[in-house]
Structures are given as structure tokens and as C-alpha cells.
Amino acid sequence: MSARTREIDLATGLAAVLVLGAVALAVIYGWRTPPGVVPTFRWEGVQLAIETVCFSMAAVALVTRRAGRVIAWVLLLRGVGVLVFLAMLALMAWHGGTVELGLLALGLSASNWVSITLAVWLPDGRLPGRGWRWYVGGVAAFALVDVFLSSSTASTVYGVPNPVVGWLPLAAGYPYVTPYVVIAFVLVSGLSVAFRRMNPVQRRQAGLLIPMYVLWEGECVLWTFNVLPAGPRFALAYVMTVLWPVVLVTVIARDRVSRLDLAARRATVVAVLAVPIGAAVAFLPPEATVVAVLATLAGTLLVPLSRWVGAGVDRLIYGRRATPYAAARSLTGRLRDSLAPAEVPAVICDLVVDTLRFPFASMHAGDRLLAQAGTPAGVEPLVFELRHQGRLVGRLLVEPRQEWGGVDDADLGILQSLADQAALAVQLSERAAELAASRARIVQAQDTARRRIERSLHDGIQQELVALVARLRLVRNQARRGMGIDTELTGIQDDAYRIIDGLRELAHGIHPPVLTDRGLLAAVESTARRLPIPIAIDAPELGRFPTDIEESAFFLVSEALTNVLKHADARQVTIRLAGGGDRLEIEVGDDGVGCADGYRGGSGLTEMRDRVDTVGGHLVIEPRPGGGTMVRAVLPHRRRETTNA
Amino acid sequence: MREPTSVVLADDHYLVREGTRRLLADSGEITVLDAVGNAVELLHAVQRHQPDAVIADIRMPPTHRTEGIVAAHRIRAAFPHIGVVILSQHADEQYVFDLFQHGTNGLAYLLKERVGELDELVRAVREVVAGRSVVDPSIVEVLLGAHRRAVGSPLRDLTARELEVLRHMAEGRTNKAIAEALTLSESTVEKHVNATFAKLGLTAETQLHRRVAAVLTYLRAQ
């Protein structure tokens, strides 16, 4: 658990306690006003309690944001101060006492400090400059002095008799208003300098927040110096109490809506739990309130506490097993050591057995066992799917352990994330195996082709040349005998022509020269002209492509045409070639008998696939709507060599 | 006996070059002024000798691709009166289209083995010298075949005789030569020529040297 999460939990817990206390005090001041407290303070107490509820919930919303962290704690401090003040005032009214008054003064100082300094933390919780620390510290000191001095001079505190009146004689001449004027002057001039240095985003936020602060602060000042009549003063106070935290949260958290949702959810949960409990507590004797607050505090902190304690206990008892962090660290280490994807399944199985202490783990791709580790106990295994881009590429089987409390949620989480890690590696190694097989097939096909060429050279052309030599010898004999040799020589010339034709065909089969010399379209056209079936070619402005692309494309078209002639029983073939951008699209469609959808078989088709794979393209063979077959391929290439040759 | 036609010969293969030279000299109708081994030497020799015609191999050093065709275009551009016969081992019409891309006049495309039929070679040299064109019969055969297979091709409406006439026209023969080859009268051939053009929807080319281009353009379109 990170320090950040701990901080958020802590702030939420504190806010919950504050809300609870505030609700209780609101009820106390609203309906069971402590004896002796001035009647008008009744609604001020309620207002302060409501303010604490609003501030606490705002703090919960803000603490999850980096920019709102400090402000959240400042708001919480204000809540603590206000609550302490209200609670102590109530206790003094019931029991009297100097300790209560001391605490009351401390609480009041804290809440005053917040109301005077809050503006300098806006908008992102950072002080505008290092010098502002002096301001913040100075205000803290002033707030203490101010409150204690005024407490020791007044004969009553909000109607409650003051037990320490007259303890500090020098406080009699204390000028109450002057320090506030000084502070207000420092604040206004300092902030206007700081505002000019802000970036546009900060400025926009501060431009909204600071006027709100001035309104709220003004309301506090009016309250302190009793300027307005009671009616308008309360109206303003109640509106500001609710409006100010809402604006604060909205402005600061505006940039990240999802976080706000999360925070709003937390705040709502806190309010829903705390309000009824707090209201109930208010009707109990004051001592019971303390117990109730402590109980709620414990309840609120129970979940995060149990998590921390659990993690600590895990570490103590299981040693290096189990924590997801340890497993993840171990995995990254091993992945770094063995980069080959084929080794990843074994590394993961070892990890499951060695680090997570499961008895047996195995990984499979389809029916194939990729790796295993440990000793199988014959227990029904847990199954985790390996998915890559949504496609099932394999499974990780893990036999659950019986000792150490079996399998918990953390185990399931880490096992699934290991399976996710493995999915990519398995996919990669499967692909590598496919490529190796395809390469082997290509080499084999080349060997076969070479053997065929050798055969046609030796068994065909060489034999014919031998026959030609024999025929020439015969003619020589005839010439020696003075016989006519003209007919015989014509025959020999015809034989020679036939040999030349045969050679040309053979050379063309090895590599059509027109492909190199005139490009893909010319080669496809001249092939099409020689086939006994009408072929329409649609290839507007097809330029030249890199050699390997043209050769693969030509091979593909020739192979597709051969298939059409052999199997399709078609009457018409359409070839479309389009070379826009960085890819060459090839379509060969016929109106023949068609093929089954997703048909993959046949050595010719395998060769086509291999050929397309070699240049990183992809091939689809599918039935054409309305009958026939469509061979479709896309070959990527880096550049066009020339627009036309 | 006519005045012998003067030619420059270019072929990188020594035996072929010398064999062809001897054959041509032997015919008595052609004088070989020079025989060279690549396209650069060919252009120099043409400039020096100003022959009536050039006979060039399609593949020559350095790249062994279509140097012969490139040289033919340069010769025709620089010396429009010099005819060029390309001898090629490729029985592929794409090379013919390449050769004829700027016009057919004074150009011929023959398969190499035609040196064995000396009459054909000599005829081709004469035709290009006269500014006409010649296409090897095997290539015309491919073009005609592809067209005849196409559904709805007008070639299907031609009579056997008209098809023969079309074939000879594509090969670059004059009406007179067609008449001789088919043992017909020249006027009959002319009638067949007109009928063929009409059935193919082409305007009859009276200019003979533009006829090959028209027919090939027609046959090239699928």
C-alpha cells in the first residue's frame, strides 16, 4: 500500500469523524442549546457545524487530487478547530473549567488561522513563494495571541462565564482591529503580485477561487465584528457555508472528472453513514459522545487498518511468497534475463511454483504443452486463459495449494496477470514457429523448383540437342554419298526452333523477363493473354514496386490463375491491382464453382500464403458473392520505385 | 539486282554476331558495314557509317535488359531515315509495345531465331528502310488469340480469310505482300482489308505505315 493511499484513507477517516461530531454538535446547538450560551449563538453554532460537514466532504473530494492535497488538510484543520471550539464551549456551559477554555481558545485559533491563510494555498496547495512561509507562521502566532488575549479580557465567552477573566492585565489595552488591517494589506498586495506570476490555467482557477474566498472571509469578518443585523448575516453565512466548498471542489477537481466521481462517491458514503449516527449521538450524555466518536473512528479505519496489518502478517508468516509485488519483481527480473518468448512459459511456471508456492503449474497452447513446473498432486487445477487481442492463445493451469490458507484473491489476481504476461509471449513464439515452418516450406519449394529445372534441362533440352547432333551426323553421311540433303536440313532447323521455344518457356518459368523489364502489370497482362480464358484486368495507373513485392504479387496472380484453370471451371476472370500509398492490393476473382468459406488447404494455397507472409502481407480466400472465388491480398511496401517504366 | 542495303549489326554474343554477319553477307542483298557488341558502340558506329538500317539485339551489356530498344529510340530520334530491326529472345508482346511507344515507323521486332529464315530478316530490313514496320508472327498470334477468346470480340465476326489478312497486316505486310502470301489478287486483298477495318470499327488506314500501329493498338486493348 502506498503512502498516498494511506494519506487518502487517513483523510477520509478524519473527515468521517468530523462529520459525525459536527452533526452531533449541530443537533446539540440547534435543539438542546447549552445553558448560558447567548441565544443568538444557537444558529451560529449550527452554521459552524454545517460548515464543518461541508468542508470535511470537500476535503475527502480534494485529497485524491495532487493539487487538492494540501487544501484538503487545511480544510480538515479548520473542521477540527471549529469542532473543538464548539465542543469545549458546550462543555464549559455544562461544567465550567479552565482546561476547556484553553482548548476552546486553541480550536478558535486554528480555525481563525485557516480562514486568514486559506487564500495563499490556492489554487493548487502550493505557497506562491518561500517568503509566504513567514506569513503563514506569523498568522499562526497572531491567531494564538489574539484569541488568548481576547479570552482573558472578556467577562463571558458567548454568554458563558469566563473563569480566567483578568489573568492578564496588559491585555486590556490590546488593539483588536489593527492587526487584521495589517494582515489584510499584506494578503491583498502579496496575492496580486503572485497572481501576475501564475500560468493561464492557475490564473483561471485562482480567478474563480479568490473572489469566493473574499466573500467567505468577508462573511467571517462580519460575523466576528457583529456588523450586519442577524437576519441577513445568517442568510449570507449559510449560503457561503455550502457554496464555498462546492466551488472549491469543482474548480480544483474540474480537470479530472473520473477522480471527482471517485471522490464524490467517497464523500457521499461518509455523509450517509455519519449523519444519522451523529444525530443519534447528540441525544446521549456528553461522555457517551466521546465513546461514540472513538467507535466510529475505529470503524472507519478498520478496513485500511486490516489491510496494512494483513500485509504485515503475510510478510511475517509466508516470507517471500504471495505478495504480488514480489512476484511481479521476480517476473520482470527473469524476463530481462531470458528475452526469448519461447522461454517465457517455463519462467512463469517456475515462478508460480517457486515464488508463489503453488504445487504444480503448466502452460498449454491448444493441446500442446509449452512448459510445466512442480509435482502434480492430481487436484482439479485452476484455469487461467491466455488472451492476446481478445483471441484465446493458450491456458495456464495451476493446482491450488492446500496449506497456507489455500488460494486468496491476491493469488488469483497475480496468477491472472501472469497469464496475461504469458499471452503475448506465447503469441509471439507461436508466430515464430509459424514463420520457421513457412521458411522451411519456401526453401523446400525452391529446391523442388531447382530439381524440376535440372530435369527439364537434362531430360528435355539436352536430349533434343543430342538428337539434333545425331541428325546432323546423318546429313553429313548423306552429303558424303552425294544425296540431296535439303529436306533433312529443314527438319534439323525445325528441331532447333523447337529447342529454342522449349528453352524460352523454361526461362520464362524460372523468371519471366517481362516482370523485371516492364513491371507487374505488363507481366500479368502477357500471362493473361496466353491463358485460354477471358481475363479482365483493372489496374489504373499501376506503377513499379520493389522487386520482391512485384515478384510475390506476380507469383500470387499466376498461382491464383493456375487454380482457376485447374479447379474453378470458370468462364471469366477479373484481376484488380491497386497500388495506392504504401500497399499493393491484389484481387483475383472468378465466376467458377467457388470454394468453402475460410478454405485453407492445398499445397498451392499454402505456397501462396507463405509467399504473402514473407513480405508481411495478408491473404484472404473467400467465396465471391454470386458464385466463384475471390483471392484477395494486400502487400505492404516501403516505397514506389518509379511511377512508370 | 537491287543496290545492297547497308546495315550495322549489334549483338553481344560473338557467335551470334558473326553468324548473322556471314548470313547477311551471304544473301548478297545486304552489306554489313560494322558489327559491334554493345549499345554505346552501336550509336558510335551508326554516327560514323550512316547505314540504311540497324539490326540490334534487345539485351546487351551492361544491364542485359532492353538496351536494344533504348538504342532504337535514340537512333530513330537522331536519324529518322535509318530503320531499326530489333532481334529479341522474348516472345512477349510487352516488348513490342515498348518498342512502338513513340510510333511504329521504321521499326521491326523479330524473334532471334528468324536469322534462320534469312528471307524474313532481309524483308524486315527492307521494310524498315522504307519506313514501314514489322512484327514477329508469333507475337501477332498471341494478340489475336487473346482477342478471339474474349466474349463479344468483333474478331469472332471475321471470316477465316479476313483473319488471315488481319494477321498479315499486324505483321507489317503491304497489300502486295499479303496478296503474294495468300495467292490472291491485290484488289481482293484490298477488299478484305476494308471489310476487316469496317468490322472492327476502325477507319481504314490508307497510309500503310500507320496501319500496323492502328491494328496493334486495337489488338492491345483487351
Side-chain angles (χ1 to χ4, degrees):
Chain A
M1 177 171 310
S2 72
R4 190 86 185 90
T5 318
R6 215 166 292 157
E7 182 184 4
I8 294 172
D9 282 341
L10 210 62
T12 312
L14 179 58
V17 174
L18 287 179
V19 169
L20 191 139
V23 171
L25 283 164
V27 174
I28 287 171
Y29 277 90
W31 287 273
R32 303 175 64 200
T33 316
V37 174
V38 284
T40 51
F41 193 77
R42 183 180 174 189
W43 296 114
E44 284 167 3
V46 173
Q47 181 253 321
L48 283 173
I50 292 173
E51 183 201 87
T52 303
V53 172
C54 294
F55 273 25
S56 302
M57 284 164 61
V60 172
L62 289 176
V63 76
T64 58
R65 295 266 306 142
R66 195 174 294 279
R69 258 178 72 195
V70 175
I71 295 170
W73 285 108
V74 170
L75 294 181
L76 287 173
L77 180 62
R78 163 85 178 182
V80 170
V82 167
L83 275 202
V84 167
F85 161 68
L86 288 178
M88 291 308 130
L89 185 62
L91 285 179
M92 269 176 67
W94 276 312
H95 304 290
T98 47
V99 178
E100 281 87 346
L101 181 64
L103 288 173
L104 176 146
L106 268 180
L108 198 57
S109 325
S111 70
N112 281 350
W113 177 79
V114 171
S115 81
I116 298 171
T117 56
L118 183 55
V120 303
W121 303 103
L122 299 176
D124 53 8
R126 268 184 303 212
L127 292 176
R130 290 179 139 260
W132 285 90
R133 284 198 228 159
W134 292 102
Y135 170 80
V136 171
V139 169
F142 159 74
L144 273 173
V145 171
D146 179 58
V147 167
F148 275 93
L149 284 181
S150 54
S151 299
S152 64
T153 51
S155 58
T156 59
V157 181
Y158 301 100
V160 178
N162 188 346
V164 298
V165 63
W167 279 20
L168 282 174
L170 65 99
Y174 171 64
Y176 293 103
V177 181
T178 321
Y180 283 100
V181 174
V182 174
I183 288 169
F185 176 75
V186 171
L187 190 63
V188 169
S189 49
L191 279 183
S192 48
V193 172
F195 187 74
R196 237 172 287 145
R197 288 194 202 139
M198 286 177 182
N199 66 35
V201 176
Q202 287 174 321
R203 232 180 245 196
R204 210 175 50 231
Q205 291 181 328
L208 274 165
L209 290 177
I210 289 181
M212 283 308 291
Y213 167 78
V214 171
L215 273 176
W216 177 68
E217 187 57 32
E219 177 263 314
C220 288
V221 171
L222 292 179
W223 181 74
T224 309
F225 295 100
N226 267 327
V227 180
L228 278 180
R233 206 174 80 200
F234 287 141
L236 180 64
Y238 276 82
V239 168
M240 283 316 298
T241 296
V242 178
L243 201 54
W244 169 229
V246 168
V247 171
L248 201 60
V249 170
T250 313
V251 170
I252 293 176
R254 179 168 55 179
D255 298 339
R256 211 174 290 169
V257 177
S258 62
R259 279 293 212 179
L260 181 61
D261 286 348
L262 185 69
R265 186 181 154 276
R266 276 166 173 268
T268 313
V269 169
V270 166
V272 166
L273 282 175
V275 169
I277 299 175
V281 164
F283 292 97
L284 299 173
E287 294 78 10
T289 312
V290 178
V291 177
V293 168
L294 285 177
T296 314
L297 184 64
T300 313
L301 295 181
L302 195 63
V303 173
L305 261 179
S306 71
R307 223 162 33 208
W308 304 336
V309 173
V313 169
D314 273 354
R315 218 165 297 137
L316 203 66
I317 296 178
Y318 302 137
R320 288 183 55 239
R321 148 181 124 73
T323 74
Y325 292 107
R329 230 187 354 256
S330 170
L331 177 66
T332 31
R334 291 194 197 192
L335 283 180
R336 196 181 44 226
D337 294 342
S338 68
L339 282 173
E343 291 170 31
V344 169
V347 168
I348 285 182
C349 287
D350 286 349
L351 187 76
V352 170
V353 172
D354 296 343
T355 308
L356 297 174
R357 305 287 169 87
F358 281 90
F360 179 72
S362 59
M363 198 176 287
H364 309 258
D367 300 330
R368 214 151 51 79
L369 176 70
L370 297 175
Q372 60 177 25
T375 327
V379 190
E380 181 68 25
L382 304 163
V383 180
F384 300 90
E385 291 186 341
L386 274 52
R387 284 189 178 276
H388 181 72
Q389 292 174 348
R391 202 168 64 83
L392 185 69
V393 293
R395 282 167 305 139
L396 170 66
L397 304 187
V398 178
E399 286 192 5
R401 58 173 113 73
Q402 307 299 317
E403 63 275 27
W404 292 318
V407 183
D408 59 23
D409 283 352
D411 287 325
L412 294 179
I414 189 72
L415 286 172
Q416 185 56 58
S417 71
L418 286 177
D420 294 343
Q421 283 289 327
L424 177 63
V426 168
Q427 163 75 12
L428 278 177
S429 61
E430 293 288 288
R431 181 95 184 111
E434 243 171 65
L435 280 179
S438 140
R439 201 159 48 192
R441 284 196 300 268
I442 290 172
V443 169
Q444 200 181 8
Q446 282 172 347
D447 289 347
T448 312
R450 271 212 296 274
R451 272 198 295 279
R452 206 170 51 224
I453 293 164
E454 184 268 339
R455 246 200 329 271
S456 30
L457 283 174
H458 278 156
D459 300 349
I461 290 160
Q462 193 180 359
Q463 300 294 63
E464 285 181 51
L465 281 173
V466 170
L468 198 66
V469 169
R471 235 177 139 175
L472 279 169
R473 175 72 227 188
L474 197 67
V475 176
R476 225 167 85 183
N477 289 348
Q478 287 178 350
R480 203 175 289 156
R481 280 187 228 115
M483 295 163 69
I485 54 170
D486 199 50
T487 331
E488 197 59 28
L489 280 176
T490 310
I492 289 173
Q493 199 171 8
D494 287 346
D495 281 356
Y497 282 149
R498 216 177 30 252
I499 294 169
I500 292 173
D501 279 342
L503 260 177
R504 183 180 291 126
E505 252 170 59
L506 182 67
H508 195 275
I510 296 169
H511 185 92
V514 69
L515 182 59
T516 326
D517 294 341
R518 307 280 303 138
L520 176 62
L521 178 57
V524 169
E525 276 178 355
S526 75
T527 303
R529 279 208 184 87
R530 283 160 179 79
L531 294 181
I533 181 172
I535 297 172
I537 299 172
D538 172 27
E541 301 193 356
L542 194 76
R544 296 294 305 259
F545 300 89
T547 312
D548 58 332
I549 296 298
E550 285 195 332
E551 284 179 357
S552 296
F554 180 74
F555 176 86
L556 203 74
V557 172
S558 314
E559 202 61 34
L561 289 174
T562 308
N563 284 341
V564 169
L565 290 181
K566 269 196 203 157
H567 310 296
D569 193 20
R571 278 165 301 134
Q572 166 84 35
V573 180
T574 316
I575 298 175
R576 200 180 70 82
L577 304 169
D582 53 359
R583 51 200 243 145
L584 171 61
E585 291 174 27
I586 302 157
E587 282 181 14
V588 180
D590 67 71
D591 59 354
V593 293
C595 68
D597 198 0
Y599 178 63
R600 293 179 70 90
S603 71
L605 292 186
T606 310
E607 242 177 291
M608 279 160 81
R609 274 185 203 291
D610 288 347
R611 207 55 203 245
V612 170
D613 279 350
T614 315
V615 293
H618 76 100
L619 174 73
V620 181
I621 297 168
E622 58 192 6
R624 206 164 74 149
T629 309
M630 176 65 90
V631 175
R632 225 189 288 266
V634 176
L635 310 182
H637 64 89
R638 246 169 276 141
R639 74 214 144 81
R640 287 173 91 134
E641 277 184 339
T642 54
T643 48
N644 210 338
Chain B
M1 195 81 192
R2 278 183 275 200
E3 178 81 5
T5 310
S6 63
V7 302
V8 166
L9 191 63
D11 197 307
D12 59 313
H13 198 288
Y14 175 77
L15 287 181
V16 174
R17 187 166 71 228
E18 289 310 309
T20 312
R21 186 225 281 272
R22 277 172 61 184
L23 265 176
L24 290 170
D26 194 46
S27 73
E29 295 181 49
I30 289 182
T31 317
V32 178
L33 299 178
D34 203 353
V36 297
N38 63 54
V40 179
E41 289 175 29
L42 172 63
L43 292 173
H44 284 309
V46 166
Q47 197 142 33
R48 202 163 52 241
H49 300 294
Q50 297 283 324
D52 297 327
V54 166
I55 300 174
D57 185 13
I58 191 171
R59 278 163 85 134
M60 281 185 287
T63 64
H64 292 278
R65 285 169 81 162
T66 54
E67 283 82 0
I69 290 178
V70 175
H73 290 154
R74 294 178 64 173
I75 292 168
R76 289 293 303 166
F79 311 103
H81 60 279
I82 299 181
V84 181
V85 176
I86 292 292
L87 289 182
S88 166
Q89 51 270 66
H90 306 310
D92 196 309
E93 65 283 3
Q94 299 292 347
Y95 293 98
V96 180
F97 300 144
D98 195 9
L99 178 66
F100 286 173
Q101 62 178 301
H102 307 303
T104 59
N105 297 356
L107 290 170
Y109 186 95
L110 288 185
L111 289 187
K112 246 184 175 175
E113 56 260 40
R114 300 292 170 225
V115 293
E117 286 148 70
L118 194 58
D119 295 348
E120 287 294 309
L121 182 57
V122 171
R123 184 183 76 83
V125 171
R126 285 238 186 73
E127 294 294 310
V128 295
V129 169
R132 291 191 288 269
S133 349
V134 178
V135 178
D136 197 277
S138 65
I139 287 164
V140 172
E141 187 49 51
V142 170
L143 291 172
L144 281 174
H147 255 273
R148 260 189 316 219
R149 279 191 297 275
V151 184
S153 164
L155 255 58
R156 292 184 165 199
D157 299 336
L158 297 185
T159 64
R161 188 58 97 186
E162 284 164 351
L163 214 52
E164 286 284 310
V165 170
L166 182 66
R167 186 194 312 276
H168 286 294
M169 279 197 287
E171 288 169 16
R173 282 193 164 79
T174 60
N175 283 3
K176 184 161 171 272
I178 297 173
E180 274 169 21
L182 300 180
T183 54
L184 295 169
S185 74
E186 242 184 287
S187 62
T188 317
V189 169
E190 203 178 314
K191 243 186 290 168
H192 285 310
V193 168
N194 289 339
T196 307
F197 272 108
K199 283 183 182 175
L200 301 186
L202 294 170
T203 43
E205 283 291 346
T206 45
Q207 296 281 59
L208 193 63
H209 63 268
R210 274 158 64 184
R211 198 161 76 179
V212 178
V215 172
L216 284 182
T217 306
Y218 178 81
L219 290 179
R220 184 180 185 173
Q222 289 233 322

